[in-house]
Amino acid sequence: MKTVAVVGTQWGDEGKGKIIDLLARDADIVVRFQGGNNAAHTIVVDEQKFVLRLVPAGALHPGRTCVIGNGTVVDPIALLNEIDDLRKRRGFDTKNLKLSYEAHMVMPYHRAIDQARERRAGKRAIGTTGFGIGPAYEDKMARVGLRFDDLTNYKAFEDRLRRNITEKNAYLKSVLKAKPVNGADIIETMKRERRRLLPLLCDTGEFLASAIAADRRLLFEGAHGTMLDIDHGTYPFVTSSNCVASGAFAGAGLGPRMLEAVLGVSKGYTTRVGGGPFPTEISGYLADSLREEGGEFGSATGRPRRIGWYDAVLGRMAARVNGLWGLALTKLDVLTGIDPVKICVGYQYKGSRYDTIPPGRHSIETAKPIFEELPGWREHLTPVRSFADLPRDARRYINRVGELIGVPITMVGVGADRDATIVLTNPFTA
Ligand code: IMP
């Protein structure tokens, strides 16, 4: 197959970065289509850790073209800093990076609004990353956002930026009782950095369509996860974009027939950061040890992640909404030594059993998970490179997950390093 999307099937942090990095070896172009620097893909190369927030994971493979599509919201300064870091540490060449003219900018006032709202919400806070993502998408939908193509007419851009700063500062001061942003600083920074941004701009939809016509291999890099999707996730504890596979069409400017396979990524257990319902959540010693063993602290914010068992009800929902072709099950090594291992196979809600999420916005808050217990394993999985060499009970666990969600398991993650993945089927060579 030539066009493949990778999406998270849980609340983000499923280990997509490593899977995308692995598939990027076989791709010519890697494309981000939604979200902003609230995403963080961690990839370990030669024991060096890289956290990519905006630049697609292809950047770690020389010669790949990286595209940031129109569906993203991009903090221009965060992007420039990330490019500088990649250039220094990896010799990354910006000729290989294309940023959509139509992508929207995240400005300092978006961050200020995001953080002030979260502070004021207290216990009702969403637990956002605080990077201004929601407010930037609000401006896009309200048709007052600033797009990168606006930089091509700097005078008009500056006028609109000034207007936005005035309005947002009034809102920050009088409604949110927060400190206004320094407008002069923002204008000065944009005037200075504009020259570095302009060469990156591209009609990325046309570029990708030509690449497909030329038989190039495209990898669409989903950020966050299905349960954080603005429509299909645990609203309002979600992010402000469509993280599901169909987001790739609007967010990269292509039609649905252009995508041949969608690979979902799940951890062998579940994590989430921020507030919101989490039916299989656990606490205490087991949660603490999984958090330590799995390094479950947010890559973007450093916050400790909440921990739970694998939830096949959510897995089934993710399989449906993304049209999954296969599933990569990551971090199986973290479950070593846990016996028994539990999987949520259904929910009990208002006296009935459900195999899907019960209807109603609040059902997931009170639905009780029904668990199945499977025997654990003691062997270290990290050196294993073939499915047949995995311990019998680990294989049984993996197969059971696939069976419960109705999707073949095509990859298994057994460690943090770039090569610690068992590939059963590679969508680019299948
Ligand atoms: P926002 O995207 O910063 O607005 O945050 C909204 C919700 O999505 C919060 O619960 C965040 O913790 C969560 N979130 C956003 N990005 C990620 C991610 O990449 N991984 C995990 N959670 C995320």
Side-chain angles (χ1 to χ4, degrees), residues 11-13 38-40 126-129 224 228 238-239 273-274 303:
W11 280 284
D13 307 318
N38 52 344
I126 292 168
T128 71
T129 56
H224 324 298
L228 288 171
V238 293
T239 190
V273 281
R303 292 179 289 179

Side-chain angles (χ1 to χ4, degrees), residues 281-347:
E281 185 167 19
I282 53 174
S283 57
Y285 173 75
L286 184 57
D288 293 343
S289 78
L290 279 170
R291 185 178 301 111
E292 279 305 316
E293 192 61 32
E296 298 297 356
F297 299 88
S299 324
T301 59
R303 292 179 289 179
R305 295 177 184 147
R306 298 158 65 192
I307 310 279
W309 296 111
Y310 183 80
D311 189 333
V313 179
L314 303 186
R316 259 177 232 129
M317 185 277 220
R320 168 178 64 79
V321 81
N322 292 294
L324 294 186
W325 159 89
L327 186 78
L329 198 61
T330 63
K331 294 185 122 173
L332 248 280
D333 53 306
V334 177
L335 290 176
T336 286
I338 292 171
D339 195 9
V341 196
K342 294 189 192 181
I343 303 182
C344 167
V345 294
Y347 291 156

